[in-house]
Amino acid sequence: MVSYEPLRGMQDYYADEAQKIRKVETIFREVVEKAGYSEAITPVVEEFELFSVKGGEELRKTMYVFKDKGDREVALRPEITPSIVRLYLNSLQHFPKPLRIFYVGRVYRYDEPQLGRYREFRQAGVEVLGTESILAELEMFHLLNDFYRKIGLKDNVEFKINNIGIYRKIFDYIKIDDNLQEHVLHLLDKGKINEFYSTLERIPIQNSKIMDLLEILTKNGKSVKIEELIAYIDKIDIPELKIEIEKISLISDVLSSLGINYLIDLSFVRGLAYYTGPIFEVTKKGLPFSIAGGGRYDSLVEIYGGSKTPAIGFAIGIERTVHALENILLRKEPGHLIAVITLDNLAIKKALEIASILRENGYVTTLNNKDLSLSKLISLYADQGYTHVIIIGKKELENEKVTVRNLKTREQRLVNISELIRVLNSDTQAN
């Protein structure tokens, strides 16, 4: 027998729950469109190789991968950034840079379901391709800050920030190849510090100050001051490394000036393998998961065969954001629900016309199709939260009028159709 439950790790949403998701998506769209971003819609199914090339160890283990009828190995997308890069390489390279793109869509990961972690969920994000400017990083924080302000979470979230470029420059200096870099970063991301150091011990590192620096970053990352770190790095003499740390310092100064809550954590590493520069996650106190994250990925376009194209982006988790709102900040505004009731079949055409007029003027309007007495209908719609019923019978039809009953005040009056909107607006203002 067919089960009525959705697949494990996936959920149905209806009415208020669905409305909250759409509300978050709508506010996100408004914020990024006003900032000059254009929407991209990409397929849910992509070639598996698009993600396996640089997806990171953990991501590849949790993908929905299968063969299609053409014997091609394909996957349900576990994230959307690689799809945006593919789109860029396929058809957007000739556009002026930087290219600002946003997306809203479903993604799939075969994780163990738990609070805030689903196998099907929604992401909304942006990507900026074609700029190395630190202003691009600052724009990410500014956009997210605007978004959280509009949904009422600005004072309740914190940005956790690091620069993966610091680790990259250290690893480059001690000549760790890309594959091993991904592995040790993966160990850091999963908190496997002992395995991280045991792996590095197998590499001959001539400069003891490098190991001391790594210990400072991984074990004291939340407490070390940027100025002290810069002073220490001056002793090692790796100019590129100093530049990466100065980026964190600049980001810190700007976020402070904007009044954004943030934490610099130099031990923080994100799971996706393609990050090359500043990275961040957004958290809310009391929740065991982040609600957004992103960072710079300057080499991903090249990995896919394109020319050097620096890029940065972020994604928010829609369901996680709704959960962070605690079901109180995205409630529907008190609306005015109207039911149109016909007492004669001859009034059906007029009822449809009136319903259209009401909807065009912003009123949520339903046509009654219940075969009940008028008194029972009035009681029923009042119980369901309707504010008005519009009644059209033979008498009203002949006189180009309708009967308007206010279900809150119980006032009832005969109104010219031409005056209907004015009367309803007057009631709306009074209530």
Side-chain angles (χ1 to χ4, degrees):
M1 184 176 176
V2 175
S3 171
Y4 299 138
E5 294 289 330
L7 290 176
R8 188 164 183 260
M10 303 184 185
Q11 298 190 65
D12 297 319
Y13 299 99
Y14 175 71
D16 286 352
E17 290 182 335
Q19 188 266 343
K20 290 169 190 172
I21 287 173
R22 295 304 183 214
K23 183 70 172 179
V24 169
E25 293 175 348
T26 296
I27 293 174
F28 174 81
R29 287 176 186 275
E30 290 172 353
V31 169
V32 297
E33 284 179 343
K34 287 179 179 177
Y37 286 74
S38 298
E39 185 172 13
I41 301 174
T42 59
V44 170
V45 179
E46 298 271 16
E47 290 187 12
F48 170 64
E49 187 179 7
L50 181 69
F51 305 103
S52 64
V53 167
K54 198 70 172 177
E57 297 175 35
E58 192 68 17
L59 188 59
R60 285 183 299 220
K61 292 177 183 177
T62 59
M63 289 176 62
Y64 282 85
V65 183
F66 55 97
K67 292 286 187 75
D68 68 8
K69 292 184 178 181
D71 202 36
R72 292 173 289 258
E73 193 171 32
V74 297
L76 297 180
R77 62 187 181 195
E79 56 161 329
I80 301 180
T81 296
S83 296
I84 298 298
V85 173
R86 178 192 55 71
L87 169 66
Y88 167 76
L89 289 169
N90 184 54
S91 54
L92 304 179
Q93 294 187 67
H94 63 286
F95 279 64
K97 309 296 186 301
L99 189 60
R100 289 178 168 86
I101 300 171
F102 82 90
Y103 58 82
V104 178
R106 299 185 187 194
V107 294
Y108 298 83
R109 296 183 189 174
Y110 202 84
D111 285 325
E112 184 61 27
Q114 55 186 277
L115 178 66
R117 179 177 291 175
Y118 311 106
R119 291 179 176 176
E120 178 190 66
F121 55 99
R122 289 151 189 81
Q123 285 187 340
V126 305
E127 313 292 347
V128 180
L129 295 101
T131 178
E132 292 180 319
S133 173
I134 191 68
L135 285 172
E137 274 86 346
L138 299 174
E139 182 174 315
M140 300 296 101
F141 296 117
H142 191 241
L143 281 174
L144 279 167
N145 191 54
D146 276 354
F147 169 72
Y148 290 122
R149 177 175 55 80
K150 285 184 178 293
I151 65 173
L153 276 180
K154 178 183 180 297
D155 296 328
N156 302 103
V157 297
E158 181 180 69
F159 289 78
K160 183 165 65 172
I161 302 165
N162 195 13
N163 183 355
I164 207 74
I166 296 170
Y167 287 98
R168 298 282 189 193
K169 296 303 181 186
I170 293 172
F171 295 154
D172 289 344
Y173 181 79
I174 59 179
K175 296 181 171 54
I176 296 180
D177 65 39
D178 286 349
N179 288 333
L180 187 54
Q181 285 192 29
E182 309 315 341
H183 177 65
V184 294
L185 287 172
H186 170 73
L187 294 175
L188 277 181
D189 179 46
K190 295 305 173 185
K192 299 178 179 179
I193 301 296
N194 292 336
E195 289 184 48
F196 171 78
Y197 280 106
S198 64
T199 301
L200 291 182
E201 285 172 1
R202 297 195 290 269
I203 303 168
I205 300 175
Q206 304 300 324
N207 192 334
S208 62
K209 291 181 179 179
I210 290 293
M211 289 305 297
D212 292 340
L213 175 59
L214 284 172
E215 291 220 2
I216 291 172
L217 294 173
T218 59
K219 297 180 180 179
N220 302 304
K222 293 181 181 179
S223 58
V224 64
K225 294 181 179 178
I226 298 296
E227 300 79 13
E228 295 173 357
L229 193 60
I230 290 175
Y232 187 88
I233 287 170
D234 283 339
K235 300 175 183 177
I236 305 177
D237 191 27
I238 309 176
E240 298 87 353
L241 184 56
K242 185 176 180 180
I243 291 171
E244 296 301 325
I245 292 174
E246 287 173 341
K247 290 178 183 177
I248 289 287
S249 182
L250 176 58
I251 290 171
S252 174
D253 290 344
V254 173
L255 294 189
S256 294
S257 70
L258 293 174
I260 295 176
N261 300 321
Y262 70 94
L263 168 69
I264 302 296
D265 182 355
L266 298 171
S267 66
F268 163 54
V269 176
R270 297 204 77 216
L272 298 177
Y274 48 68
Y275 288 123
T276 60
I279 57 172
F280 58 89
E281 285 184 348
V282 183
T283 59
K284 180 177 182 288
K285 188 175 181 179
L287 293 183
F289 47 76
S290 63
I291 59 176
R296 179 166 284 281
Y297 54 96
D298 286 348
S299 61
L300 190 57
V301 173
E302 287 181 88
I303 289 168
Y304 287 146
S307 59
K308 180 175 174 57
T309 308
I312 187 171
F314 69 77
I316 68 169
I318 300 295
E319 287 89 344
R320 288 184 173 192
T321 300
V322 170
H323 189 84
L325 288 167
E326 298 177 338
N327 301 319
I328 59 173
L329 295 177
L330 287 181
R331 292 177 297 183
K332 288 183 180 178
E333 293 297 321
H336 291 270
L337 305 178
I338 299 175
V340 179
I341 301 172
T342 58
L343 303 181
D344 190 291
N345 285 342
L346 294 175
I348 291 175
K349 181 177 180 295
K350 182 59 69 175
L352 292 169
E353 292 174 4
I354 289 172
S356 294
I357 292 170
L358 292 171
R359 291 164 185 165
E360 287 170 4
N361 281 272
Y363 290 99
V364 177
T365 307
T366 60
L367 288 166
N368 174 67
N369 56 16
K370 297 177 175 65
D371 189 14
L372 298 173
S373 67
L374 181 58
S375 61
K376 287 185 177 179
L377 286 173
I378 290 173
S379 176
L380 178 69
Y381 284 119
D383 290 343
Q384 291 180 356
Y386 282 72
T387 58
H388 295 80
V389 292
I390 308 296
I391 303 165
I392 312 173
K394 189 174 181 181
K395 178 182 175 183
E396 286 87 358
L397 192 63
E398 290 173 351
N399 295 288
E400 278 293 307
K401 296 179 183 291
V402 294
T403 298
V404 178
R405 183 177 178 89
N406 186 319
L407 297 179
K408 292 186 176 181
T409 65
R410 298 185 181 180
E411 178 186 0
Q412 182 168 304
R413 51 184 157 166
L414 201 61
V415 174
N416 289 324
I417 292 176
S418 60
E419 292 290 303
L420 177 59
I421 297 302
R422 184 190 62 77
V423 169
L424 289 172
N425 287 344
S426 176
D427 278 2
T428 299
Q429 293 168 6
N431 293 330

Tab-separated table of all heavy atoms in Angstrom, residues 21 63 85 106 135 179 229 237 249-250 264 278 281 297 301 313 328-329 340 350 391:
chain	number	residue	atom	x	y	z
A	21	ILE	N	7.683	30.215	4.275
A	21	ILE	CA	8.784	29.940	3.346
A	21	ILE	C	8.769	30.941	2.198
A	21	ILE	O	9.790	31.531	1.838
A	21	ILE	CB	8.691	28.493	2.825
A	21	ILE	CG1	9.095	27.514	3.936
A	21	ILE	CG2	9.572	28.289	1.585
A	21	ILE	CD1	8.885	26.065	3.584
A	63	MET	N	25.410	12.744	-1.553
A	63	MET	CA	24.669	13.160	-2.739
A	63	MET	C	23.726	12.072	-3.221
A	63	MET	O	23.981	10.883	-3.033
A	63	MET	CB	25.645	13.529	-3.864
A	63	MET	CG	26.394	14.816	-3.631
A	63	MET	SD	27.625	15.154	-4.913
A	63	MET	CE	26.563	15.278	-6.361
A	85	VAL	N	28.209	28.482	-11.793
A	85	VAL	CA	29.488	28.551	-12.513
A	85	VAL	C	29.360	27.893	-13.880
A	85	VAL	O	29.873	28.399	-14.886
A	85	VAL	CB	30.613	27.906	-11.683
A	85	VAL	CG1	31.902	27.819	-12.498
A	85	VAL	CG2	30.854	28.709	-10.404
A	106	ARG	N	15.566	24.448	-4.741
A	106	ARG	CA	15.676	23.274	-3.865
A	106	ARG	C	16.995	22.551	-4.100
A	106	ARG	O	17.488	22.481	-5.221
A	106	ARG	CB	14.527	22.292	-4.142
A	106	ARG	CG	13.152	22.883	-3.898
A	106	ARG	CD	12.084	21.832	-4.074
A	106	ARG	NE	10.751	22.419	-3.999
A	106	ARG	CZ	9.633	21.717	-3.852
A	106	ARG	NH1	9.695	20.404	-3.774
A	106	ARG	NH2	8.472	22.320	-3.804
A	135	LEU	N	35.675	44.826	-1.589
A	135	LEU	CA	34.329	45.395	-1.538
A	135	LEU	C	33.264	44.336	-1.809
A	135	LEU	O	32.137	44.455	-1.334
A	135	LEU	CB	34.193	46.537	-2.546
A	135	LEU	CG	34.881	47.851	-2.166
A	135	LEU	CD1	34.833	48.829	-3.332
A	135	LEU	CD2	34.236	48.462	-0.931
A	179	ASN	N	45.174	18.370	-3.184
A	179	ASN	CA	44.379	17.265	-2.640
A	179	ASN	C	44.590	17.110	-1.140
A	179	ASN	O	43.636	16.883	-0.386
A	179	ASN	CB	44.728	15.959	-3.359
A	179	ASN	CG	44.194	15.932	-4.779
A	179	ASN	OD1	43.201	16.591	-5.092
A	179	ASN	ND2	44.858	15.187	-5.650
A	229	LEU	N	48.684	38.765	15.709
A	229	LEU	CA	48.944	37.783	14.657
A	229	LEU	C	49.801	38.390	13.546
A	229	LEU	O	50.730	37.754	13.041
A	229	LEU	CB	47.614	37.278	14.096
A	229	LEU	CG	47.657	36.029	13.218
A	229	LEU	CD1	48.231	34.847	13.983
A	229	LEU	CD2	46.269	35.699	12.704
A	237	ASP	N	57.984	36.216	7.698
A	237	ASP	CA	58.282	36.812	6.396
A	237	ASP	C	57.596	36.068	5.243
A	237	ASP	O	58.247	35.528	4.350
A	237	ASP	CB	59.796	36.883	6.155
A	237	ASP	CG	60.122	37.752	4.928
A	237	ASP	OD1	59.312	38.656	4.627
A	237	ASP	OD2	61.154	37.500	4.284
A	249	SER	N	41.143	42.004	9.055
A	249	SER	CA	41.160	43.244	9.837
A	249	SER	C	40.241	44.291	9.226
A	249	SER	O	39.480	44.959	9.936
A	249	SER	CB	42.599	43.782	9.918
A	249	SER	OG	42.645	44.954	10.700
A	250	LEU	N	40.281	44.441	7.903
A	250	LEU	CA	39.426	45.420	7.230
A	250	LEU	C	37.948	45.046	7.375
A	250	LEU	O	37.097	45.897	7.667
A	250	LEU	CB	39.801	45.527	5.754
A	250	LEU	CG	38.910	46.451	4.904
A	250	LEU	CD1	38.918	47.867	5.469
A	250	LEU	CD2	39.360	46.440	3.447
A	264	ILE	N	35.344	36.928	15.024
A	264	ILE	CA	36.474	36.440	14.241
A	264	ILE	C	36.949	35.141	14.873
A	264	ILE	O	37.335	35.116	16.045
A	264	ILE	CB	37.638	37.460	14.212
A	264	ILE	CG1	37.160	38.798	13.648
A	264	ILE	CG2	38.808	36.905	13.408
A	264	ILE	CD1	36.719	38.747	12.204
A	278	PRO	N	38.146	34.833	2.300
A	278	PRO	CA	37.259	35.033	3.444
A	278	PRO	C	36.025	34.133	3.377
A	278	PRO	O	35.430	33.950	2.310
A	278	PRO	CB	36.878	36.507	3.341
A	278	PRO	CG	38.064	37.146	2.690
A	278	PRO	CD	38.523	36.137	1.675
A	281	GLU	N	29.843	32.195	8.325
A	281	GLU	CA	28.562	31.565	8.590
A	281	GLU	C	27.755	32.495	9.483
A	281	GLU	O	28.318	33.315	10.215
A	281	GLU	CB	28.734	30.209	9.280
A	281	GLU	CG	29.209	29.114	8.353
A	281	GLU	CD	29.275	27.759	9.012
A	281	GLU	OE1	29.163	27.682	10.258
A	281	GLU	OE2	29.446	26.758	8.279
A	297	TYR	N	35.655	32.098	-3.661
A	297	TYR	CA	36.131	30.896	-4.359
A	297	TYR	C	36.754	31.310	-5.698
A	297	TYR	O	36.180	31.167	-6.750
A	297	TYR	CB	34.991	29.889	-4.546
A	297	TYR	CG	33.750	30.412	-5.227
A	297	TYR	CD1	33.552	30.242	-6.592
A	297	TYR	CD2	32.759	31.078	-4.510
A	297	TYR	CE1	32.403	30.717	-7.227
A	297	TYR	CE2	31.620	31.553	-5.119
A	297	TYR	CZ	31.448	31.372	-6.478
A	297	TYR	OH	30.320	31.842	-7.093
A	301	VAL	N	36.094	28.555	-11.220
A	301	VAL	CA	35.866	28.683	-12.666
A	301	VAL	C	37.021	28.051	-13.440
A	301	VAL	O	36.810	27.358	-14.441
A	301	VAL	CB	35.694	30.166	-13.055
A	301	VAL	CG1	35.619	30.321	-14.576
A	301	VAL	CG2	34.424	30.740	-12.414
A	313	GLY	N	30.302	34.372	-2.960
A	313	GLY	CA	28.857	34.234	-2.841
A	313	GLY	C	28.446	33.745	-1.472
A	313	GLY	O	29.283	33.447	-0.612
A	328	ILE	N	7.080	33.585	14.955
A	328	ILE	CA	6.380	34.771	15.449
A	328	ILE	C	6.567	36.002	14.574
A	328	ILE	O	5.748	36.901	14.609
A	328	ILE	CB	6.810	35.122	16.886
A	328	ILE	CG1	8.326	35.371	16.949
A	328	ILE	CG2	6.386	34.044	17.857
A	328	ILE	CD1	8.785	35.887	18.298
A	329	LEU	N	7.626	36.040	13.783
A	329	LEU	CA	7.929	37.275	13.075
A	329	LEU	C	7.403	37.320	11.645
A	329	LEU	O	7.456	38.358	11.012
A	329	LEU	CB	9.438	37.530	13.075
A	329	LEU	CG	10.033	37.784	14.464
A	329	LEU	CD1	11.530	37.947	14.377
A	329	LEU	CD2	9.411	39.027	15.084
A	340	VAL	N	-18.168	35.796	-1.537
A	340	VAL	CA	-19.251	36.273	-2.396
A	340	VAL	C	-20.288	35.154	-2.502
A	340	VAL	O	-19.968	34.044	-2.954
A	340	VAL	CB	-18.726	36.670	-3.787
A	340	VAL	CG1	-19.874	37.134	-4.676
A	340	VAL	CG2	-17.669	37.775	-3.665
A	350	LYS	N	-22.418	37.979	-12.462
A	350	LYS	CA	-22.123	39.222	-11.727
A	350	LYS	C	-21.199	38.928	-10.542
A	350	LYS	O	-20.304	39.726	-10.218
A	350	LYS	CB	-23.419	39.872	-11.250
A	350	LYS	CG	-23.239	41.195	-10.528
A	350	LYS	CD	-22.543	42.224	-11.412
A	350	LYS	CE	-23.421	42.673	-12.565
A	350	LYS	NZ	-22.785	43.762	-13.361
A	391	ILE	N	-23.486	39.543	-0.755
A	391	ILE	CA	-24.640	38.720	-1.113
A	391	ILE	C	-25.295	39.290	-2.369
A	391	ILE	O	-25.582	40.492	-2.441
A	391	ILE	CB	-25.656	38.683	0.050
A	391	ILE	CG1	-24.967	38.161	1.325
A	391	ILE	CG2	-26.857	37.814	-0.309
A	391	ILE	CD1	-25.771	38.433	2.593
